[in-house]
Amino acid sequence: MSQFSSIATCFGHIVLAAVTGWSLKFLPSPITTPNVPFVWIMLWCLMAYSMLGIVRYSHPQPGKVLRFLYDHTALLAKVCPLPFLNAHLYLQSEQTLNCFGDSFMQPFQNELGYTFLLSALVAYGLCNVFSDLSRRHIGEYVSTGVLLLNAFGLCLVSCATDNYWAMGLVVSCVSKHFLLPVLAERYRMPHALLYTYGLNFYEIFAVNAVIDSQTSTIRVIM
């Protein structure tokens, strides 16, 4: 990677750290979240990813430990965002009775939330197992499948609750997943740079989706 690319990627992680701080400020407090605040946890994972990225790309010779930590947080940032948001939306106790109304999916709402979490764990594990160059494509196929599964799940809950921020996030994440490798190859830009900037959109959309879901829940209860 050239020096300019390293500087640009480092700056991208700085921007992500700033956006993550903004997101944590405006995200509803974990105390007010009835269950585990999955999006709050995801944002702190992205904060760790951005901080490690700043050190990783600003250091002239990053060590093995730093590379190891960065690679694993980067993998978390790749496979966990949508599953964690899905779990947050599906497992809110106030929404359990009204998210899907009287549809056939209503009894399975909690099970779906845990299934999406499990899908992230499966993707993370398999991407680590098939991390060598000759089998890396298997992990990519799995992560793509997990992304599409969670995009479908997020599409369901966003349509059921008229959560337009979540709908926009589905379009953003799916298009980013398939377009970024093409753009990186065509314009010879580091994939980490483009993906890091793309995470900014995830955070903005995810925070607003959570705020919108809690607002609509309060409105229904009142």
Side-chain angles (χ1 to χ4, degrees), residues 97-125:
L97 297 178
N98 54 54
C99 177
F100 292 106
D102 296 326
S103 72
F104 71 96
M105 295 188 63
Q106 192 272 334
F108 307 104
Q109 184 175 335
N110 286 340
E111 288 77 5
L112 287 171
Y114 291 115
T115 299
F116 293 131
L117 274 181
L118 181 61
S119 70
L121 179 62
V122 170
Y124 179 79

Side-chain angles (χ1 to χ4, degrees), residues 40-74:
W40 184 81
I41 295 173
M42 188 67 243
L43 288 178
W44 277 109
C45 290
L46 293 178
M47 179 65 81
Y49 165 74
S50 61
M51 291 300 177
L52 288 170
I54 293 171
V55 180
R56 160 74 173 80
Y57 288 101
S58 62
H59 199 285
Q61 293 181 338
K64 291 183 178 180
V65 175
L66 178 58
R67 288 177 179 270
F68 175 83
L69 292 175
Y70 176 78
D71 289 343
H72 279 270
T73 54

Side-chain angles (χ1 to χ4, degrees), residues 25-42:
K25 177 181 179 181
F26 286 94
L27 187 72
S29 172
I31 300 176
T32 64
T33 304
N35 288 316
V36 180
F38 292 103
V39 173
W40 184 81
I41 295 173
M42 188 67 243

Side-chain angles (χ1 to χ4, degrees), residues 114-173:
Y114 291 115
T115 299
F116 293 131
L117 274 181
L118 181 61
S119 70
L121 179 62
V122 170
Y124 179 79
L126 290 179
C127 285
N128 277 299
V129 171
F130 300 112
S131 60
D132 54 290
L133 189 60
S134 62
R135 300 187 298 171
R136 190 172 298 172
H137 63 282
I138 300 176
E140 291 295 329
Y141 291 149
V142 172
S143 62
T144 299
V146 168
L147 172 76
L148 295 177
L149 172 66
N150 280 273
F152 179 71
L154 185 57
C155 188
L156 286 178
V157 73
S158 62
C159 291
T161 57
D162 293 330
N163 193 324
Y164 298 106
W165 285 101
M167 294 179 190
L169 187 57
V170 172
V171 177
S172 174
C173 287

Side-chain angles (χ1 to χ4, degrees), residues 180-211:
L180 287 190
V182 177
L183 294 175
E185 182 178 358
R186 180 172 182 178
Y187 296 103
R188 298 181 180 179
M189 300 179 67
H191 183 270
L193 170 63
L194 296 178
Y195 190 80
T196 301
Y197 278 112
L199 286 172
N200 294 311
F201 292 97
Y202 163 80
E203 293 186 348
I204 294 171
F205 277 82
V207 169
N208 282 283
V210 171
I211 294 173

